[in-house]
């Protein structure tokens, strides 16, 4: 159809565009930076406003209204936390993301999702993810310097963070499994879905993310339990395992490359193995479809029966249990040891080569969670400020990490915005989840299968976000919220747009003077009553104001990134860009701090100090700003002030050895070179990023 036949269908089209936009953000470092997600958030916000006022829109369900109200309140509470956050810029960034996520969930919950529409949405997500995976592998394979995209031998592209990259593939993978196991009517489509699932699975192995593997296992279990085609689902899973196991060693060995040349060779070999496995899956899928076509209908239906699914699942579980015991010994002891490694081990215990999937699990998660729980205990009702975690962690840490986030959505929310924020987030997500589960009983098999796939994809995201900071990547969270909203509003045929054939029949009937239903009801866009008009005006004003804030947030992020890129080649232009970034976002301390370093290198000592003082005014707990200001005061001969400022920096980051070294030098009366200190700090940070494979 050239244009949506009904307002409800138009809203579903808008949601599809949002899902496509999320995949585009996936190619743009996951949309992590405000310069990437803010313009997208503005578009989604205004799409929600239009969808709410268009004539003839469907009534919103009760659970949807509750979830939308909770997400709006969560956004407001997150914004309010700016007033008590020690780092207001971090809370503002969190507010921008929450605006986007609330708008996406609200838009996805507005229309009903008939089985055919839900299937098209799932195909869009799956096809986009496969194209993104293929493009990523090709891009990295052809790159002259793959070390930009492969850190510590693990693929971080396209999101820039290894676990977010693997998490993105996990969301798409359960959808592809559903499509390959009967979610598509066309046999050729099922073969393509099976082949795409193999490409996505094997690409995810290049990231070697243990958290993503665990999340995928949980999501697959959900799909098996909820899908009416569980037998077929398990057969697809078995086919994927059979195609992936032979090539897995070659994919995992990429991490052992000793230099960039060997890494490039390893990636070239990995791309060849992925292509070979995809060819094998395509041939296997085609042969299976031919076999299915020759089977009788009764035998085909038996493949998706509950009995076969339970028998296959039981057999598979038994085989895995026997294999696990043979490989690891006592499973209880093994699980206990691995849990202890994950919670109490550090990155220093992880071997630089070998598979990360079977190696040490040290990641300092336990230390991060300890500090997050301490922050929650200190202010249980409202928290310390949305995503205002890093400064507290640097003060209280027992590790060498400088994490910006708690690496757990539940703990991060409790620490940042307290019980109030935690309950609002729980309501916003749990209500549509329960609505989706309760509504399954009234659906036919195609709709139930589609709903199961959407819910499993959401669970893949939710599980990963429980033990990582993937919430911060809109590419993942937007996809998850779109699929959750669609599952919550899934129907059999209710809300489906009329077919082109039916529309043609109606047009012929109208030509003969027969009155037929109008699928595009006309009516006023503006409410007729004064109170309703006032409410609409209030919504428009609020959205317009939010648009201005998002534009400023995105613009500041853009100029910050631009200034950072210019700093080595054109410091004067960099200083101008960073000054613009600072003006656009008066809450953020990163821009004036970066400008301070740039103008110092240009010889502007007064500007250096002024920018540092502005940074501390915006972010009073920024240890690096205090370190820089202490050196500026020492250069000016203000020894007592310098010592006081440097001691403050040491209290803010007691495990940072460079601060202690500078403090000791000033106490002795030695001259300190700020450029040398900055190089040392930057070198240590780069070393840590190379060792753990994360974005700052």
């Amino acid at each position: 159809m050239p244009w949506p036949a009904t307002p409800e269908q138009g809203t579903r089209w808008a949601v599809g565009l949002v899902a496509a936009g999320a995949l585009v953000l996936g190619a743009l470092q996951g949309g992590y930076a405000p310069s990437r997600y803010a313009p997208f958030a503005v578009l989604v916000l205004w799409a929600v406003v239009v969808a709410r006022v268009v004539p003839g829109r469907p009534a919103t369900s009760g659970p949807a209204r509750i979830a939308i109200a909770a997400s709006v309140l969560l956004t407001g509470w997150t914004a309010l936390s700016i007033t008590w956050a020690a780092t207001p810029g971090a809370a503002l960034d969190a507010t921008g993301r929450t605006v986007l996520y609330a708008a996406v969930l609200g838009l996805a919950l507005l229309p009903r999702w008939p089985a055919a529409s839900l299937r098209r949405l799932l195909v869009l997500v799956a096809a986009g993810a496969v194209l993104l995976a293929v493009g990523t592998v090709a891009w990295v394979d052809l790159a002259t310097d793959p070390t930009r995209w492969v850190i510590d031998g693990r693929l971080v592209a396209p999101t820039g963070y290894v676990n977010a990259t693997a998490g993105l593939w996990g969301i798409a993978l359960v959808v592809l499994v559903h499509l390959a196991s009967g979610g598509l009517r066309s046999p050729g489509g099922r073969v393509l879905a099976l082949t795409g699932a193999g490409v996505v699975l094997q690409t995810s192995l290049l990231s070697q993310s243990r958290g993503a593997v665990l999340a995928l296992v949980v999501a697959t279990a959900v799909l098996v339990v909820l899908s009416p085609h569980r037998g077929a689902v398990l057969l697809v899973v078995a086919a994927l395992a059979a195609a992936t196991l032979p090539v897995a060693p070659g994919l995992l060995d990429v991490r052992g490359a000793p230099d960039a040349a060997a890494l490039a060779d390893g990636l070239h070999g990995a791309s060849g193995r992925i292509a070979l496995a995809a060819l094998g899956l395509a041939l296997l899928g085609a042969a299976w479809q031919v076999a299915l076509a020759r089977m009788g209908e009764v035998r085909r239906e038996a493949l998706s029966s509950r009995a076969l699914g339970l028998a296959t699942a039981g057999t598979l579980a038994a085989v895995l249990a026997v294999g696990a015991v043979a490989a690891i010994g006592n499973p209880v002891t093994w699980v206990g040891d691995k849990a202890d490694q994950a919670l109490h081990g550090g990155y220093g215990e992880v071997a630089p080569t070998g598979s990360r999937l079977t190696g040490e699990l040290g990641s300092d998660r336990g230390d991060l969670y300890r500090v997050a729980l301490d922050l929650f205990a200190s202010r249980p009702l409202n928290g310390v400020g949305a995503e205002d975690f890093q400064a507290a962690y640097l003060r209280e840490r027992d590790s060498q990490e400088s994490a910006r986030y708690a690496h757990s959505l539940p703990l991060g929310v409790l620490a940042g915005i307290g019980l109030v924020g935690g309950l609002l987030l729980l309501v916003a997500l749990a209500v549509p989840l329960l609505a989706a589960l309760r509504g399954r009983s009234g659906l036919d098999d195609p709709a139930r299968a589609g709903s199961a796939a959407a819910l499993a994809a959401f669970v893949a995201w939710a599980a990963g976000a429980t033990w990582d900071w993937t919430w911060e990547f809109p590419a993942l969270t937007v996809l998850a919220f779109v699929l959750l909203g669609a599952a919550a509003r899934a129907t059999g045929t209710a809300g489906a747009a009329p077919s082109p054939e039916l529309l043609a029949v109606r047009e012929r009937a109208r030509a003969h003077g027969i009155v037929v239903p109008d699928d595009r009801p006309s009516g006023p866009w503006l409410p007729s009553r004064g109170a309703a008009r006032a409410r609409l005006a209030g919504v428009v004003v609020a959205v317009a104001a939010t648009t201005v804030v998002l534009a400023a947030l995105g613009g500041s992020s853009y100029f910050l990134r631009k200034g950072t890129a210019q700093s080595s080649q054109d410091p004067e232009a960099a200083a101008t860009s960073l000054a613009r970034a600072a003006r656009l976002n008066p809450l953020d301390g990163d821009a004036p701090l970066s400008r301070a370093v740039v103008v110092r290198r240009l010889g502007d000592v007064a500007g250096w100090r002024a920018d540092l003082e502005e940074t501390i005014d915006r972010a009073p707990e920024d240890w690096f700003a205090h370190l820089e200001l202490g050196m500026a005061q020492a250069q000016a001969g203000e020894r007592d002030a310098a010592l006081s400022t440097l001691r403050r920096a040491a209290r803010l980051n007691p495990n940072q050895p460079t601060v202690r070294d500078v403090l000791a030098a000033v106490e002795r009366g030695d001259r300190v070179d700020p450029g040398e200190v900055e190089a040392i700090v930057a070198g240590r940070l780069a070393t840590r990023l190379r060792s753990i494979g994360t974005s700052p």
Side-chain angles (χ1 to χ4, degrees):
M1 278 177 260
W3 189 255
T6 66
E8 191 169 20
Q9 187 189 33
T11 305
R12 290 195 292 266
W13 283 23
V15 175
L17 290 174
V18 168
L23 292 167
V24 173
L25 288 180
L28 300 173
Q29 295 186 317
Y32 172 76
S35 59
R36 301 280 168 74
Y37 76 73
F40 186 55
V42 170
L43 293 175
V44 177
L45 263 179
W46 285 104
V48 173
V49 173
V50 172
R52 293 289 297 179
V53 302
V54 64
R57 66 177 179 84
T60 308
S61 67
R65 287 195 295 271
I66 294 172
I68 292 171
S71 63
V72 171
L73 290 173
L74 175 65
T75 304
W77 184 250
T78 303
L80 188 62
S81 75
I82 295 172
T83 61
W84 63 76
T87 312
L92 178 61
D93 190 7
T95 302
R97 285 189 179 85
T98 309
V99 166
L100 170 60
Y101 300 157
V104 168
L105 183 61
L107 187 65
L109 286 168
L110 286 180
R112 292 165 293 180
W113 287 90
S117 298
L118 181 55
R119 181 175 63 251
R120 285 190 284 268
L121 177 65
L122 294 172
V123 169
L124 171 65
V125 171
V130 171
L131 290 175
L132 186 57
V134 171
T136 299
V137 172
W139 178 268
V140 174
D141 184 25
L142 297 174
T144 55
D145 182 14
T147 57
R148 179 182 177 186
W149 306 111
V150 182
I151 300 177
D152 186 33
R154 303 163 70 196
L155 180 67
V156 302
T159 68
Y161 175 48
V162 62
N163 293 335
T165 292
L168 179 61
W169 307 140
I171 291 172
L173 188 56
V174 289
V175 175
L176 284 159
V177 169
H178 155 72
L179 296 175
S181 60
L184 290 174
R185 298 175 182 174
S186 164
R190 295 176 189 176
V191 173
L192 288 175
L194 178 64
T195 306
V199 171
V200 169
L201 174 60
Q202 290 140 27
T203 302
S204 71
L205 285 181
L206 291 174
S207 296
Q208 299 197 35
S209 169
R210 285 97 39 112
V213 169
L214 183 56
L216 181 59
V217 170
V218 174
T220 303
V222 170
L223 182 62
V224 170
V225 170
L226 296 182
S227 176
H229 305 151
R230 58 182 57 86
V233 168
L234 288 167
L235 287 174
V236 169
V237 171
L240 290 172
T244 302
L245 287 174
V247 301
L251 301 177
L252 298 177
D253 284 347
V254 171
R255 185 167 182 261
D259 52 43
L263 176 62
D265 289 341
L267 290 169
H268 183 68
S271 63
R273 291 182 178 90
I274 293 173
L276 184 62
L279 177 61
L281 278 170
L283 295 174
L284 177 63
W288 179 246
Q289 293 303 320
V290 171
L292 283 177
R294 295 181 177 180
M295 290 182 187
E297 185 176 350
V298 174
R299 294 183 64 184
R300 285 200 301 269
E301 291 179 353
L303 291 174
S304 297
S305 67
R306 178 180 179 85
L308 178 61
L310 292 174
T312 306
T315 302
L316 182 61
V319 171
L320 291 175
V322 171
V325 170
I328 65 177
N330 187 329
V332 176
T333 302
W334 184 86
V335 170
D337 291 342
K338 291 300 182 182
D340 183 68
Q341 291 174 13
L343 292 176
H344 302 106
Y347 281 106
E349 302 170 10
V350 179
T353 59
S355 171
R356 284 275 288 168
L357 296 180
T358 57
E360 294 288 325
L361 298 185
S363 61
D364 295 303
R365 286 294 196 276
D367 195 47
L368 295 169
Y369 298 163
R370 172 187 62 82
V371 173
L373 288 171
D374 287 346
L375 292 176
F376 170 57
S378 68
R379 300 182 70 171
L381 185 63
N382 63 333
V384 298
E387 295 178 1
D388 196 358
F389 179 78
Q390 186 175 43
Y393 185 68
L394 291 176
R395 288 196 311 269
E396 307 296 334
R397 62 179 176 167
D398 291 332
S399 74
Q400 294 302 312
E401 302 307 312
S402 54
R404 296 185 67 172
Y405 308 105
H407 284 56
S408 168
L409 175 59
L411 294 181
V413 168
L414 289 175
I417 49 179
L419 277 174
V420 174
L423 289 174
L424 289 172
L425 178 64
L426 180 63
V427 171
L429 299 185
V431 168
L433 180 62
L434 292 175
L437 293 173
R438 291 183 60 186
R440 286 172 46 80
S441 60
L443 302 177
D444 56 14
D445 275 4
R448 274 194 296 143
S451 173
L455 286 175
F458 171 76
V459 168
W461 168 85
T466 301
W467 48 71
D468 216 320
W469 53 287
T470 49
W471 162 271
E472 312 297 335
F473 290 85
L476 282 70
T477 307
V478 167
L479 282 180
F481 282 20
V482 162
L483 294 173
L484 174 63
R489 297 278 278 157
T491 68
T493 57
S499 65
E501 294 78 11
L502 180 57
L503 289 175
V505 169
R506 289 179 177 177
E507 286 300 322
R508 288 197 297 271
R510 290 191 184 101
H512 289 82
I514 301 174
V515 178
V516 294
D518 188 355
D519 293 303
R520 297 180 186 174
S522 60
W525 283 60
L526 296 178
S528 57
R529 290 178 296 179
R533 287 192 174 189
R535 286 194 299 270
L536 177 59
V539 169
V540 171
V541 169
V543 171
T546 305
T547 298
V548 172
V549 174
L550 286 170
L553 182 63
S556 176
S557 172
Y558 168 77
F559 283 113
L560 176 59
R561 292 164 63 90
K562 182 179 180 180
T564 303
Q566 293 171 323
S567 59
S568 59
Q569 301 295 326
D570 190 349
E572 292 185 356
T576 300
S577 296
L578 294 169
R580 290 174 179 170
R583 287 195 299 269
L584 284 169
N585 186 355
L587 299 181
D588 181 45
D590 289 344
L593 178 57
S594 298
R595 186 177 186 276
V597 174
V598 170
V599 298
R600 181 197 61 75
R601 293 171 182 171
L602 290 172
D604 184 0
V605 176
W608 179 34
R609 287 194 62 162
D611 284 336
L612 291 173
E613 289 167 356
E614 181 179 355
T615 300
I616 293 173
D617 183 58
R618 296 181 178 196
E621 297 187 0
D622 190 310
W623 71 272
F624 188 71
H626 283 84
L627 173 63
E628 287 273 328
L629 181 58
M631 291 188 292
Q633 292 167 333
Q635 280 195 357
E638 303 169 11
R639 184 175 183 276
D640 291 342
L643 290 174
S644 176
T645 303
L646 291 171
R647 286 168 184 150
R648 171 66 173 161
R651 290 193 298 272
L652 291 172
N653 195 354
N655 285 352
Q656 170 54 255
T658 306
V659 177
R660 297 194 299 270
D661 293 343
V662 172
L663 176 60
V666 174
E667 287 176 336
R668 292 192 304 267
D670 295 343
R671 182 181 178 278
V672 177
D673 183 354
E676 182 180 343
V677 171
E678 291 162 5
I680 292 172
V681 172
R684 284 174 173 161
L685 175 61
T687 300
R688 293 303 303 148
L689 294 182
R690 284 194 297 271
S691 67
I692 64 178
T694 63
S695 297

